[in-house]
Amino acid sequence: MRFPGRLLVTLAVTMLAAQPIAAQSVLRDAETEAFLDDISAPLIAAAGLEPGNVDLVLLNDPSINAFVAGGQAVYIHTGLIEAADTAEEVQGVIAHELGHITGGHILRYSDGAAAATKISILSLLAGVGAALAGSGDAAIGLLGLGQQAALGNFLSFSRTQESSADFAGADFLSKAGISGRGSLAFFGKLLNQEFRYGYSQSDEAGFYRTHPLSGDRIARLKEVYEKDPAWNAPANARQQAGFERIKAKLTGYIAKPAATLRDYPETNQTVPALYARAYAYHKSAHVDRALTSTDALLASNPDDPYFLELKGQILLESGRPTEALDSLRRATELTKAEPLIAGLFGHALIATEDPANFEEAERVLRAAVGRDRYNPFAWYQLGVVYAARGDIPRARLASAEQQVLSGAYALAIRSAQAAEAGLPAGTPDWLRAQDIGLQARALLERQCELERGRSCERR
């Protein structure tokens, strides 16, 4: 877990003007992504979806939430990971979100919005008629009733979709042989949170909610889960251990060091505690203590690629890139050039400022972006390599790749144009420069539309 990125696509804004996903920070970490892929794989199969077509994206947001927003991507807030206690709880949430995907609920939100809009228009016409007839009070009353009906219609539509996703998720858990205990436990956390913040559980309060009341959801799902053959299925010990690791890494990365050291004191020598403390010490610039924790991790498993990655990261970010090379090279080899780890290794090779390392850096970074084009950090590093050897057109092409992924669309257009002008016409790189230019223009136009009137020319 190394650096925040920007989400790589611009998504439509829903009727309720939810915050665009592009405005939220994405956390990328090789181990966390592998864990989420692992625990979601049986659920994706149970949902009848192709694993390679479903993305699990971690957003740096402390609220307890997960959602889908078009396509086949599930967005999970860091607050949800922090609130969960088991891998099964996270699987319950993922199963629910897959229910939204298979139900086509994002696409069908326009249906609910359309019905609400029709009610609003009818009430508006009636209100105008009353006003023209001289009854101002009646007009205001009709408009208010119309808006109330529109809101109620839309919220009812939303609650129906949430209930549908609940039961679809229960079906996916059952087919995957995963107990619904984790799902119920997480709904229990949501219910406790509602009680803590004083949210009413009355039927009247339920009318104004986009989701069914948590207590009602628990009661309905409990009947389904307890009858399911998977109800008493044992938890997957390997996945639970993996969950505890990634949760500790997340805590170490996000929380203040003092809070991390309080929750994971030195007396705790488990892998999760060592992980969390390594990040806390690194953030506090206690490099020796951070390395002591990583060395303890490696003593327990010298060939764990994520332990090696962490040691290399600490050394690199502490200004010791040459010392980081062995650990990062080994981590890259063990993961068969996992893109995020390979990108970090390439960065370390460049950071040595030794031209003898640049050829290896280029090879490693090209492999990284070949497997994961949505990695702006690797593209940036690749551009550095190209520039160092005097290949300016390809350096500009790499910059264009990085800029379009980072949301700097105007810069991406200029970099793509410069790359296209310097590359041999008709070559794959020349064609790619044209594609990036077109992509950046389309995304810039979309961004301007979403921001309502802000001039593209000023960007």
Side-chain angles (χ1 to χ4, degrees), residues 92-433:
V93 174
I94 292 172
H96 170 88
E97 299 305 331
L98 291 175
H100 282 305
I101 292 175
T102 58
H105 291 168
I106 295 301
L107 297 175
R108 292 176 59 201
Y109 259 108
S110 59
D111 297 339
T117 301
K118 289 176 183 177
I119 294 174
S120 295
I121 291 172
L122 289 173
S123 67
L124 177 62
L125 293 174
V128 169
L132 291 174
S135 179
D137 291 341
I140 293 171
L142 285 168
L143 286 170
L145 287 172
Q147 293 300 318
Q148 180 84 346
L151 176 64
N153 184 283
F154 182 80
L155 294 178
S156 175
F157 181 84
S158 176
R159 289 193 298 272
T160 298
Q161 290 194 328
E162 291 298 330
S163 293
S164 173
D166 283 347
F167 290 110
D171 181 53
F172 302 153
L173 287 169
S174 176
K175 289 177 179 176
I178 299 169
S179 174
R181 293 177 185 273
S183 176
L184 289 181
F186 199 80
F187 276 125
K189 286 182 168 66
L190 296 179
L191 181 60
N192 288 336
Q193 185 184 50
E194 291 172 5
F195 285 144
R196 190 162 59 249
Y197 287 103
Y199 295 151
S200 173
Q201 299 295 304
S202 69
D203 290 340
E204 181 181 359
F207 174 84
Y208 292 99
R209 292 171 57 119
T210 57
H211 291 56
L213 296 170
S214 294
D216 292 343
R217 298 171 86 175
I218 291 171
R220 292 168 187 163
L221 285 172
K222 189 174 182 181
E223 292 183 9
V224 175
Y225 284 136
E226 289 183 345
K227 296 175 183 176
D228 187 77
W231 174 249
N232 291 314
N236 185 308
R238 177 184 58 80
Q239 290 179 343
Q240 179 60 24
F243 171 74
E244 291 170 6
R245 281 176 56 151
I246 66 107
K247 181 176 179 178
K249 287 179 74 173
L250 185 63
T251 298
Y253 180 79
I254 292 177
K256 293 181 179 180
T260 302
L261 296 174
R262 180 198 64 218
D263 295 339
Y264 295 95
E266 288 285 353
T267 53
N268 186 341
Q269 292 296 307
T270 63
V271 165
L274 289 167
Y275 243 154
R277 288 200 300 274
Y279 276 99
Y281 287 137
H282 181 42
K283 287 168 63 177
S284 303
H286 295 301
V287 179
D288 290 342
R289 290 185 177 184
L291 291 173
T292 297
S293 295
T294 58
D295 286 341
L297 289 168
L298 285 165
S300 68
N301 187 349
D303 286 330
D304 188 304
Y306 306 118
F307 296 165
L308 289 162
E309 177 197 21
L310 177 56
K311 182 172 184 178
Q313 177 190 349
I314 292 170
L315 289 167
L316 172 61
E317 294 176 356
S318 300
R320 296 154 66 176
T322 302
E323 295 177 58
L325 295 183
D326 287 343
S327 295
L328 292 175
R329 182 179 285 111
R330 181 62 177 152
T332 301
E333 292 169 352
L334 288 168
T335 58
K336 296 181 173 56
E338 195 285 329
L340 294 176
I341 295 176
L344 188 64
F345 178 38
H347 175 40
L349 287 164
I350 296 169
T352 64
E353 299 182 353
D354 183 352
N357 288 328
F358 282 20
E359 182 179 349
E360 184 180 11
E362 180 181 352
R363 185 171 65 253
V364 167
L365 290 166
R366 286 181 68 89
V369 298
R371 288 182 56 184
D372 180 7
R373 298 193 67 85
Y374 302 105
N375 188 339
F377 182 74
W379 280 115
Y380 176 81
Q381 297 301 322
L382 191 56
V384 171
V385 173
Y386 286 140
R389 76 177 193 196
D391 190 347
I392 302 305
R394 284 181 176 79
R396 287 171 171 163
L397 179 59
S399 293
E401 295 273 14
Q402 179 259 327
Q403 289 157 354
V404 77
L405 295 176
S406 302
Y409 305 131
L411 286 175
I413 292 169
R414 291 195 287 271
S415 294
Q417 289 172 337
E420 184 182 346
L423 291 165
T427 62
D429 285 341
W430 182 83
L431 293 171
R432 180 58 187 159

Side-chain angles (χ1 to χ4, degrees), residues 49-101:
L49 301 170
E50 289 293 328
N53 294 336
V54 180
D55 295 318
L56 281 296
V57 182
L58 185 65
L59 297 181
N60 189 3
D61 190 311
S63 60
I64 304 173
N65 195 24
F67 59 93
V68 295
Q72 295 187 13
V74 176
Y75 300 92
I76 299 173
H77 286 193
T78 53
L80 188 149
I81 300 295
E82 292 177 316
D85 292 312
T86 67
E88 286 185 330
E89 290 181 27
V90 181
Q91 285 176 311
V93 174
I94 292 172
H96 170 88
E97 299 305 331
L98 291 175
H100 282 305
I101 292 175

